[in-house]
Amino acid sequence: MSRIIAAAAIRGAHQIVTQAEESLKKALEEHGPEKKVEFPNTGYYLPVIYAMTGMEVRTLKDIEPVLVRTKSLLPPVPEDRLWLPYL
């Protein structure tokens, strides 16, 4: 994979996590930490997160540890002059 594509993917992943953090902050301010997070009219609670991490997300406050885990998985954004493989 080219350096340009890999660097763009890593930068994009960082942007998505930042957007998720901002959205969570906004949702916590509007609804509070005990607001349920689920698919309407079902008993499901973000099954992809549970399947990938084993972390149950039933309320907004349950999302915070998921974001911490997500950030820990992100590699640092590569510098423009870095030519070493980073994937």
Side-chain angles (χ1 to χ4, degrees), residues 12-50:
H14 279 272
Q15 290 173 354
I16 290 169
V17 171
T18 299
Q19 288 175 356
E21 289 175 322
E22 291 168 358
S23 295
L24 176 61
K25 182 180 176 184
K26 183 178 176 184
L28 284 168
E29 289 172 358
E30 288 180 19
H31 303 289
E34 297 303 320
K35 178 71 174 175
K36 286 187 177 184
V37 177
E38 60 189 359
F39 292 110
N41 302 319
T42 71
Y44 295 111
Y45 53 92
L46 303 185
V48 173
I49 291 174
Y50 183 66

Side-chain angles (χ1 to χ4, degrees), residues 39 44-58 62 66 69:
F39 292 110
Y44 295 111
Y45 53 92
L46 303 185
V48 173
I49 291 174
Y50 183 66
M52 300 292 265
T53 66
M55 302 170 82
E56 294 182 0
V57 176
R58 295 181 187 270
D62 296 335
V66 172
R69 173 104 184 257

Side-chain angles (χ1 to χ4, degrees), residues 56-69:
E56 294 182 0
V57 176
R58 295 181 187 270
T59 62
L60 285 175
K61 71 178 178 189
D62 296 335
I63 296 175
E64 290 174 342
V66 172
L67 286 175
V68 169
R69 173 104 184 257

